[in-house]
Amino acid sequence: MSEPMPMSFEPKIIAFVCNWCTYLGADLAGTNRLEYPPNVRIIRLPCTGRIDFNLLVKAFEIGADAVLVSGCHPGDCHYTAGNFHARRRWMLFRSLLETLGIETERIHFTWISAAEGKKFQQVIGEITATARAMGPYAAYQGLSQVQVGQASTPAAGLQTRQPEDAQ
Amino acid sequence: MELGYYPGCALHGTSNDYEDSVRACLDALGVGLKEVNDWICCGATAAHSINHKLSIALPARNLALAEREGFGEILAPCPMCSMELLKASDLVKSDAALRQEMGRIVELDFEGRTSVLNLIQVFQKVGLDTIKAAVKSPLEGLKAACYYGCLLTRPPETLRFDDCERPSSMEAVIAALGGTAVEWNYKTECCGAGMTLANTDIVLDLSHKILTNAAAHGANCVVVACPMCHVNLDMKQADIERRTAVRHGMTIYYLSDLVGRALGLSDHTLGIDRHFVYGG
Amino acid sequence: MARIGVFTCWCGENIARTVDVEQVSAALGQLPGVHCSLDYKYMCSEPGQSLIQEKIKSENLDAVVVASCSPHMHLRTFRKTAANAGVNPYRVEMANIREHCSWVHHDRATATTKAIDLIRMSVAKVRWDEPLEPIKVPVTRRALVVGGGVAGIQAALDIADGGYEVVLVEREPSIGGKMAGLSETFPTLDCSQCILTPRMVEVGQHPRIKLYTYSEVEQVEGYLGNFTITIRKKARYVDTKSCTGCGDCWNACPIKRNPSEFDYGLGMRPAIYIPFPQAVPARPVIDKETCTRIKKGKGCGLCEKKCLTHSIHFDDQDELVSEKVGAVVVATGFKLYSIGQQQDDGATTGYGEYGYGKFKDVVTSLQFERLLSASGPTGGRVVRPSDGKEPKNVVFLSCVGSRDDAKGLPYCSKICCMYTAKHAMLYKHKVHDGQAHVFYMDIRAGGKNYEEFVRRAIEQDGARYYRGRVSRIYEENGKLVVRGADTLAGAPVTIEADLVVLAAAVVPATGVRDLARKLNVGYDQYGFLLESHPKLRPVETSAAGVFICGACQAPKDIPEAVAQASAAASKALIMFGHEELTREPEVARIDEKNCAACFTCVRTCPYHAIDKAELLTPRGVFVKRTARVNPGLCMGCGTCVAVCPSKSADLAGFTEQEIYAEVEALV
Amino acid sequence: MTVIPVDELRVADCYQCGKCTAGCPVAARMDRMPNQIVRLVQMGGFEAAIASAAMWECVSCQTCTTRCPKSVDCAGVMDKLRALSAERPSPEQARHHTILFQHAFLKNIRRHGRLNELELVGTFKAAVFAKNLEIPFLFKDALLAPRMLQRGKLKLAGGSVRDRDVVGRIFDRCLQSRDRQGAV
């Protein structure tokens, strides 16, 4: 657990994707062996319409540096309109998040279809690059620990991004 | 109503009869024309054939001049001019960078606020009912073949005027004047336009076809709203006869000629007596 | 505390090459609740699966995480495996460490780390996974077929012959659709009516087919297995039961000259008419737009006077009837792109240059079919609509509206190449000294005996094929001047034709979008209905229990439409093979006590699966209003969960609890 | 190899339906059909395209572009080809009436700002004569001129712009990219 702070900053990225388009897009990226940065962790949901935006806040609490929300292209939603609902709610939610002090530039929206393995690769590449450039999201790191009454040291925050942490 | 006026080279040269006609009949309709000060040539086919940038710059200069004088709308009776002006105006409106570049090139910054009208559009602005009401001598017995040629309606996305395959706006004017317009097939075929001097044979062949078709459908005259069409169809009839051994003797009117006539203006005022084929 | 087993797959080398599977399973063994963590070469293989089952029994596990490939690949497999060993299948999670990890990363250390993260997420989720039972819904073994063309007829007969009742709804006064109006069919040239009318009669007489002609689907309620359909029976003014179809009425009708819909305006019909002699039902209908009696409310009434069975009722009104069905087959077919006129969707008017609607002798392909048809307005004589003369030169244009981004539709209408060859052929058979000219871009003749058929038109019947589009058509002293190009010879071509036939693009029938919305079926930008998988589920739709066939899905010829119709029928029959249907239980639910009854979910649910309801005590005393999910309709998108302000909505299989756990696992 | 920017002309979209050729009023006079020219450009065969005389027959009537099902700007292609060959006139093309005319035309408006038709006719005919020694052509419209004069349709001194130099400067700025100012 007592790891020295790493020299190069590796952002943690959490992706909330729909089961029918983007998840399959990511599968395709795999089948085509399209390499991309290992920073992303995918959470599979039936539809982006399912996403309650508190989830995004949660993601930052547990130390994410960037969040991706990606679903089907307009008109292609498996559930006809879920992706639109997500978009519309996002519009309302953005300002709220901003008042919460969340840097909304760290939240990315895309549409990636089941056929767009290449696009998935590109998007993850870009998001990782921007997140690296923006640096660690100190504002929210380790908040979860705080809530569970632990002391939140920068180390604690950073540790959440240490691989060894898993073991 | 007062409009900015861009005559273009033709109306100040060979087609000065068109200019007289336009001025006279619009004056009679209470439309004042104020010439764009120090306008220059639009570049016509030559410019966009030889240098793309030039083909934007020349009309751009004129748009800039018009805008400087605060014209909201300008009349360009020559479809070639109005097409070039419209094309340039669309381009600079959609592309800020280009607009600035052009501002530099033509030494006059501008937004592209001035919109360009052709003659028919001006008649429509005045209102066909108004014109109908103003008619003194209805054009009975007139069987007109309305000829649009190319540039009044093409390319449609630039001109945004009438139906480019089945135009009918001139027919509407003729109807308002108490004349009849015949249905025919060469409304939108090309007369050879810019080739008048360079490639005379093309012009003669194409114009011959047009006149033949008009006659075949019982027209006793052809109505145009374009100086080049007029040159090719009127001035060239002798050459056509020499080439094809067919004498057409078809009177070619500018649309403004007929409006003017119906409003009671004389052929002389309208410059009709200066046409090559003039039956009076 | 859950007893979780984690099973990490090597997938041969696919995972093991980049992910240190031993390290992974070791790491996961540490997690609380994980009672065993193993890795194996091929988890999906028979020994792999039995390994899982053994462990479930020996460790008496109640939750399973398989770390291998994409759940889209094997979730079903492993759910079955676990179920057979007594674990609730919905307490099985998969961590995708192949497509999302080993295949896209090369550095072994990072890949291993990521794999561990992914599996931790699954473990965190599975901890909260609740056991779920598949939803059972009763099924009404009765089908609705919308559209009485050849596809609808085929589907209806198949289902009825399968032993179940069918309700067939047709908008026109008779069934038969486009095919009934065709002359002969490619590539065999058998007479269209000869093969179709017997099937139409079968439908009319079938004991298990309830036929509603001149009717439309007004409203659709319910869900898979339990639809309630409201049908509007348009006022026909004729009692089809007592009427014998003798014909005295239409012979008596004085308003004779109305353009016939069936003949696409080439023929005339009275105000009271049957669309064509072989119509089913062979009963007339009164066109209220043209009947003077109905328009004025008095006078005429000759038909009524002539009718011996007193079957004519001028006071007839539209009638709404309701039918209960378990499955729906949509077969609404196509129509032609309206050349040179406004389209339904208000799009392009297109092709002023072809003079259709201006020149009488420029006709559409379907009009030409009527000119060729023995039952057509000319009794099968090919003549010019303008002067009744026999055309000696006929020009056929393919791709009018098809493959044209600028003025028409970008897609290929598929059937035009074939029927145009047929037209050229049949014309030659009727006018021996005539010449057929065809302008085409490509000849698309894929299909059994299709290419041979086209060649026959060219080689035996001497049709002249020019590879090029036509730019303009105009009338010059009685001839139609066609200005085209022969791009192979590299020259413009001008033909003086007597008749021009335009192969207009195939577009979906009018009103199909409305119907699709009523049924919750998707459609593309052109209005063609969307199948749920282009290859593997070609007749299913996003709406469970609704199937599609024929040209409403895409342009199709008769053999294809019929094949697809039988496919759709078999899907309905498969449903009817069960007492009740089971559905995935991953659907929404409302905490009804907590629900604030704002009904945001009711408004946002794309499937109208949530209703306003009342919460009652067991004694039936009103407690409060609440939203209530209909599990039969819910497709499990979870939109309601996200919009619910009182957090009363949740989605089984993807509960708030489960998802948050997944996220928190990443701390 | 010559490359001309053709993206905005959507040449790549052409599927060779030939509607441009079908509608072209002068196709019959062309050595290569409009659709063939577009094909050449599409496949990068600019040299062959420029070598063809088709573009000099084109009357810029826009029919091809207007009716193209793929919105390919065929007339625009002809423009581009003319512009290109104007930059490096080959002997044959230099003798072409159309290009001689267009250069005379631009020279003329460059000098006066507006067109001086009489002078245009003069310079143009002289150029044609110099290049092609076509005596008959020289006098082709000679019969026309007097009748035009008598109708006041030819002004011996055309009106021209007060600020004439600006036109010259506009020309220079537009042509500076090219080294072919001599051409105009």
Side-chain angles (χ1 to χ4, degrees):
Chain A
M1 286 301 279
S2 59
E3 268 295 309
M5 260 182 68
M7 285 296 92
S8 79
F9 160 65
E10 278 306 321
K12 177 191 291 189
I13 297 160
I14 301 183
F16 298 96
V17 308
C18 82
N19 181 41
W20 304 103
C21 290
T22 305
Y23 193 92
L24 286 167
D27 280 0
L28 185 63
T31 340
N32 297 343
R33 311 296 197 276
L34 304 175
E35 191 174 7
Y36 51 81
N39 308 55
V40 64
R41 303 288 180 265
I42 289 180
I43 294 190
R44 182 171 69 102
L45 298 165
C47 176
T48 48
R50 162 70 180 79
I51 293 169
D52 162 0
F53 284 86
N54 298 314
L55 259 178
L56 307 196
V57 184
K58 188 67 189 173
F60 289 120
E61 277 178 13
I62 60 96
D65 302 289
V67 167
L68 167 65
V69 176
S70 179
C72 310
H73 282 271
D76 295 353
C77 176
H78 182 78
Y79 305 102
T80 60
N83 51 355
F84 281 125
H85 286 300
R87 258 307 153 92
R88 212 174 301 140
R89 264 205 320 289
W90 167 234
M91 295 309 161
L92 304 170
F93 216 81
R94 182 182 221 118
S95 52
L96 180 54
L97 290 179
E98 275 156 358
T99 51
L100 274 172
I102 297 211
E103 297 169 9
T104 44
E105 322 70 78
R106 291 181 180 271
I107 303 175
H108 305 260
F109 261 85
T110 54
W111 281 313
I112 300 175
S113 82
E116 294 177 319
K118 193 104 198 68
K119 185 175 177 190
F120 184 84
Q121 178 194 32
Q122 286 160 357
V123 168
I124 298 304
E126 288 157 16
I127 294 177
T128 316
T130 12
R132 270 210 197 88
M134 289 179 83
Y137 192 11
Y140 268 76
Q141 271 158 23
L143 253 189
S144 48
Q145 283 92 329
V146 176
Q147 284 167 343
V148 294
Q150 290 173 7
S152 152
T153 64
L158 284 167
Q159 261 182 1
T160 63
R161 280 191 313 284
Q162 290 308 312
E164 291 70 18
D165 171 53
Q167 306 170 24
Chain B
M1 161 167 42
E2 179 168 277
L3 292 173
Y5 177 53
Y6 177 86
C9 307
L11 275 73
H12 273 205
T14 321
S15 310
N16 46 29
D17 50 351
Y18 187 21
E19 166 152 61
D20 297 352
S21 163
V22 168
R23 282 188 172 284
C25 94
L26 287 185
D27 182 61
L29 287 169
V31 180
L33 296 180
K34 192 163 173 303
E35 188 163 323
V36 174
N37 185 22
D38 221 26
W39 58 269
I40 64 170
C41 173
C42 72
T45 327
H48 68 85
S49 293
I50 285 174
N51 180 296
H52 180 63
K53 199 171 274 183
L54 188 61
S55 71
I56 308 170
L58 294 172
R61 166 81 180 174
N62 295 304
L63 290 169
L65 291 168
E67 194 168 304
R68 185 178 62 184
E69 291 182 59
F71 292 124
E73 290 169 320
I74 55 170
L75 162 64
C78 167
M80 171 63 82
C81 302
S82 55
M83 191 269 279
E84 295 294 344
L85 290 167
L86 280 167
K87 210 185 244 169
S89 138
D90 282 358
L91 282 171
V92 295
K93 263 190 231 150
S94 61
D95 179 347
L98 179 68
R99 188 166 69 240
Q100 279 144 15
E101 185 188 5
M102 281 302 150
R104 188 178 54 77
I105 291 179
V106 307
E107 300 175 14
L108 210 52
D109 286 333
F110 69 113
E111 297 297 316
R113 267 186 263 104
T114 315
S115 52
V116 184
L117 302 176
N118 66 34
L119 181 63
I120 307 166
Q121 283 166 313
V122 172
F123 288 139
Q124 290 170 342
K125 268 183 88 69
V126 172
L128 296 189
D129 301 346
T130 322
I131 294 177
K132 195 168 184 174
V135 169
K136 294 202 179 62
S137 43
L139 307 175
E140 283 124 1
L142 182 97
K143 287 216 188 60
C146 297
Y147 176 64
Y148 296 79
C150 309
L151 300 177
L152 269 175
T153 60
R154 286 195 297 261
E157 55 279 7
T158 309
L159 276 300
R160 296 183 290 270
F161 171 70
D162 210 336
D163 174 338
C164 67
E165 295 295 351
R166 304 183 191 177
S168 58
S169 46
M170 281 210 244
E171 281 82 351
V173 177
I174 298 298
L177 305 175
T180 43
V182 302
E183 256 312 315
W184 64 308
N185 292 322
Y186 276 61
K187 277 184 191 187
T188 61
E189 296 292 315
C190 180
C191 68
M195 296 288 191
T196 311
L197 279 162
N199 212 330
T200 327
D201 300 356
I202 296 183
V203 174
L204 297 182
D205 296 346
L206 296 178
S207 303
H208 172 60
K209 282 191 193 152
I210 293 163
L211 293 172
T212 314
N213 192 267
H217 288 79
N220 55 19
C221 69
V222 173
V223 190
V224 301
C226 168
M228 282 164 301
C229 300
H230 196 272
V231 167
N232 289 340
L233 296 180
D234 174 54
M235 207 186 285
K236 294 279 178 185
Q237 274 186 39
D239 298 357
I240 292 172
E241 183 179 350
R242 215 168 292 118
R243 184 176 167 81
T244 63
V246 177
R247 180 185 204 88
H248 288 288
M250 178 74 74
T251 331
I252 316 297
Y253 293 110
Y254 295 108
L255 186 58
S256 46
D257 292 342
L258 295 179
V259 177
R261 254 195 196 166
L263 296 175
L265 302 176
S266 79
D267 285 9
H268 185 70
T269 337
L270 294 162
I272 300 176
D273 56 1
R274 273 178 286 151
H275 297 180
F276 274 58
V277 181
Y278 176 54
Chain C
M1 191 60 170
R3 298 178 61 84
I4 305 164
V6 178
F7 301 87
T8 308
C9 180
W10 299 29
C11 194
E13 275 294 291
N14 282 301
I15 294 173
R17 189 183 299 109
T18 32
V19 172
D20 182 337
V21 282
E22 281 97 352
Q23 191 193 336
V24 168
S25 47
L28 284 143
Q30 311 301 316
L31 289 183
V34 176
H35 283 255
C36 75
S37 176
L38 302 170
D39 54 278
Y40 183 73
K41 241 181 168 34
Y42 294 104
M43 277 298 172
C44 59
S45 69
E46 204 287 326
Q49 295 193 40
S50 33
L51 172 69
I52 296 175
Q53 294 180 323
E54 284 159 28
K55 283 294 161 190
I56 289 176
K57 297 209 174 70
S58 60
E59 303 287 327
N60 119 66
L61 305 172
D62 61 4
V64 169
V65 171
V66 183
S68 56
C69 48
S70 168
H72 287 274
M73 179 79 76
H74 273 316
L75 185 56
R76 265 214 180 76
T77 318
F78 292 117
R79 276 183 170 171
K80 227 189 245 102
T81 316
N84 294 341
V87 170
N88 181 289
Y90 298 94
R91 301 208 64 208
V92 174
E93 291 291 333
M94 281 183 78
N96 185 348
I97 61 169
R98 190 179 73 174
E99 283 83 349
H100 293 187
C101 187
S102 70
W103 274 354
V104 290
H105 308 312
H106 287 84
D107 176 60
R108 199 168 164 82
T110 37
T112 307
T113 313
K114 180 173 177 180
I116 293 169
D117 269 3
L118 296 180
I119 304 170
R120 281 170 59 218
M121 289 159 71
S122 302
V123 170
K125 181 167 188 286
V126 84
R127 222 178 250 126
W128 294 100
D129 279 349
E130 322 149 322
L132 300 171
E133 291 308 322
I135 299 167
K136 300 216 181 304
V137 287
V139 51
T140 315
R141 290 149 138 173
R142 200 160 179 268
L144 167 74
V145 175
V146 188
V150 64
I153 289 172
Q154 181 73 20
L157 286 172
D158 283 356
I159 297 169
D161 293 344
Y164 300 97
E165 268 189 41
V166 175
V167 176
L168 176 56
V169 175
E170 166 58 51
R171 174 160 58 186
E172 299 302 322
S174 166
I175 58 169
K178 296 278 182 295
M179 184 174 170
L182 302 184
S183 53
E184 294 169 8
T185 56
F186 62 81
T188 46
L189 291 192
D190 37 9
C191 145
S192 181
Q193 292 202 331
C194 313
I195 53 178
L196 183 67
T197 40
R199 303 289 278 163
M200 292 164 61
V201 173
E202 261 187 88
V203 169
Q205 296 173 346
H206 203 293
R208 281 187 296 276
I209 296 180
K210 192 167 178 185
L211 181 56
Y212 290 98
T213 53
Y214 210 54
S215 307
E216 298 190 39
V217 171
E218 181 87 0
Q219 195 191 0
V220 179
E221 288 162 306
Y223 53 91
L224 167 70
N226 304 272
F227 295 101
T228 307
I229 313 290
T230 312
I231 298 162
R232 171 178 295 274
K233 294 175 68 180
K234 293 177 278 185
R236 189 173 190 130
Y237 307 100
V238 174
D239 179 343
T240 49
K241 290 182 194 59
S242 56
C243 169
T244 60
C246 66
D248 292 347
C249 53
W250 63 77
N251 293 327
C253 179
I255 320 295
K256 291 239 181 296
R257 303 200 53 73
N258 313 295
S260 144
E261 294 80 0
F262 187 71
D263 290 331
Y264 305 101
L266 291 180
M268 294 295 168
R269 57 150 179 86
I272 181 167
Y273 67 102
I274 59 168
F276 54 102
Q278 306 82 344
V280 172
R283 300 286 181 266
V285 55
I286 298 181
D287 170 10
K288 62 172 184 287
E289 303 307 321
T290 49
C291 169
T292 43
R293 168 59 181 263
I294 292 172
K295 275 190 299 184
K296 293 204 184 66
K298 56 178 165 45
C300 189
L302 280 174
C303 49
E304 186 184 29
K305 294 187 191 74
K306 278 267 188 269
C307 180
L308 301 173
T309 59
H310 311 293
S311 305
I312 293 173
H313 311 295
F314 294 115
D315 54 1
D316 199 354
Q317 296 293 330
D318 284 13
E319 187 186 343
L320 294 180
V321 295
S322 150
E323 293 281 358
K324 290 203 172 302
V325 297
V328 179
V329 175
V330 183
T332 47
F334 74 98
K335 64 172 185 175
L336 293 185
Y337 165 92
S338 40
I339 308 156
Q341 292 144 40
Q342 205 71 22
Q343 309 299 315
D344 281 357
D345 54 11
T348 165
T349 59
Y351 300 104
E353 63 265 46
Y354 290 165
Y356 177 77
K358 185 175 169 202
F359 308 128
K360 270 204 166 72
D361 298 329
V362 179
V363 300
T364 67
S365 43
L366 281 177
Q367 287 176 313
F368 192 63
E369 289 284 348
R370 296 310 297 150
L371 289 177
L372 289 169
S373 168
S375 72
T378 61
R381 279 179 51 256
V382 177
V383 297
R384 284 155 50 104
S386 63
D387 56 13
K389 291 213 188 75
E390 190 176 63
K392 296 299 177 195
N393 277 287
V394 180
V395 172
F396 298 90
L397 273 56
S398 54
C399 297
V400 177
S402 308
R403 303 177 65 192
D404 183 338
D405 314 49
K407 289 182 169 175
L409 306 138
Y411 58 81
C412 164
S413 290
K414 197 171 185 188
I415 59 175
C416 325
C417 285
M418 289 309 297
Y419 72 60
T420 298
K422 179 192 77 181
H423 285 168
M425 209 182 257
L426 294 177
Y427 164 68
K428 186 68 177 179
H429 296 174
K430 287 175 183 285
V431 183
H432 301 297
D433 60 342
Q435 179 61 56
H437 311 260
V438 177
F439 284 92
Y440 74 101
M441 287 208 289
D442 301 288
I443 300 175
R444 298 186 169 173
K448 196 175 183 181
N449 297 322
Y450 283 14
E451 173 64 14
E452 301 90 311
F453 182 81
V454 174
R455 293 315 305 171
R456 235 168 70 217
I458 297 169
E459 292 161 16
Q460 289 172 27
D461 296 312
R464 287 219 189 98
Y465 269 65
Y466 306 87
R467 199 212 160 278
R469 268 187 187 265
V470 165
S471 177
R472 201 175 159 224
I473 298 169
Y474 57 86
E475 208 166 49
E476 204 57 72
N477 42 55
K479 295 271 183 191
L480 291 163
V481 182
V482 179
R483 299 220 317 226
D486 179 342
T487 58
L488 300 181
V493 179
T494 302
I495 296 171
E496 294 208 339
D498 305 302
L499 183 69
V500 175
V501 180
L502 306 177
V506 168
V507 298
T510 314
V512 70
R513 283 183 173 86
D514 302 337
L515 180 65
R517 271 184 236 108
K518 288 172 189 165
L519 291 162
N520 289 316
V521 172
Y523 49 84
D524 65 18
Q525 71 256 54
Y526 315 112
F528 287 116
L529 301 182
L530 289 180
E531 64 279 14
S532 40
H533 190 286
K535 296 180 181 54
L536 304 178
R537 306 184 69 202
V539 296
E540 292 94 326
T541 68
S542 57
V546 181
F547 310 108
I548 54 177
C549 61
C552 66
Q553 181 258 349
K556 253 180 218 67
D557 61 18
I558 295 166
E560 273 186 291
V562 169
Q564 218 186 16
S566 288
S570 74
K571 290 292 173 184
L573 290 170
I574 291 166
M575 278 179 58
F576 297 165
H578 302 80
E579 289 288 341
E580 51 187 8
L581 304 166
T582 58
R583 301 191 62 230
E584 286 296 315
E586 285 152 333
V587 296
R589 58 173 179 234
I590 305 275
D591 175 347
E592 300 191 353
K593 290 198 181 58
N594 192 49
C595 171
C598 66
F599 301 126
T600 315
C601 52
V602 177
R603 286 190 298 278
T604 40
C605 175
Y607 300 95
H608 317 295
I610 311 180
D611 308 315
K612 302 176 180 178
E614 293 180 344
L615 186 62
L616 307 174
T617 62
R619 286 223 188 68
V621 182
F622 174 84
V623 179
K624 65 186 280 287
R625 304 185 67 208
T626 178
R628 183 165 294 157
V629 175
N630 177 336
L633 267 181
C634 176
M635 301 293 283
C637 66
T639 306
C640 50
V641 184
V643 297
C644 178
S646 64
K647 295 263 150 285
S648 310
D650 211 342
L651 178 62
F654 295 91
T655 62
E656 291 288 87
Q657 195 48 275
E658 291 160 14
I659 307 276
Y660 274 86
E662 243 184 302
V663 176
E664 282 165 337
L666 285 169
V667 169
Chain D
M1 195 204 78
T2 318
V3 178
I4 55 177
V6 286
D7 300 2
E8 73 277 14
L9 303 175
R10 304 186 61 170
V11 168
D13 300 3
C14 173
Y15 56 14
Q16 285 298 307
C17 71
K19 200 172 181 180
C20 45
T21 302
C24 179
V26 292
R29 307 171 53 110
M30 294 180 170
D31 55 354
R32 284 189 196 258
M33 294 299 108
N35 66 293
Q36 296 174 319
I37 296 292
V38 175
R39 176 62 175 171
L40 285 170
V41 174
Q42 184 180 51
M43 303 309 276
F46 304 110
E47 296 307 331
I50 299 161
S52 153
M55 59 189 153
W56 304 118
E57 301 289 345
C58 166
V59 286
S60 306
C61 70
Q62 305 286 336
T63 307
C64 46
T65 302
T66 304
R67 291 187 185 151
C68 177
K70 301 295 287 181
S71 310
V72 176
D73 185 357
C74 181
V77 171
M78 295 296 184
D79 279 346
K80 276 268 189 302
L81 291 173
R82 282 188 288 253
L84 190 59
S85 91
E87 285 177 32
R88 42 183 186 78
S90 65
E92 322 74 63
Q93 275 149 14
R95 293 171 57 244
H96 232 288
H97 289 184
T98 315
I99 190 164
L100 289 171
F101 173 78
Q102 291 178 339
H103 286 157
F105 183 99
L106 288 186
K107 255 208 192 85
N108 186 296
I109 64 173
R110 179 180 192 154
R111 178 165 325 121
H112 304 285
R114 298 177 193 168
L115 196 62
N116 178 321
E117 285 159 327
L118 198 54
E119 183 184 304
L120 172 65
V121 179
T123 34
F124 170 57
K125 303 238 158 192
V128 174
F129 179 62
K131 296 267 188 209
N132 308 0
L133 308 167
E134 292 178 20
I135 317 286
F137 178 85
L138 195 50
F139 297 105
K140 212 163 184 179
D141 306 303
L143 303 154
L144 208 48
R147 287 182 293 154
M148 290 174 74
L149 277 167
Q150 141 213 344
R151 286 177 168 74
K153 272 178 169 279
L154 270 189
K155 295 211 184 109
L156 288 164
S160 55
V161 183
R162 254 174 281 100
D163 183 1
R164 244 186 279 176
D165 315 351
V166 71
V167 185
R169 290 197 296 275
I170 293 179
F171 268 74
D172 294 338
R173 293 194 189 99
C174 292
L175 300 171
Q176 72 204 154
S177 50
R178 315 273 160 81
D179 50 7
R180 281 283 173 281
Q181 293 167 35
V184 282

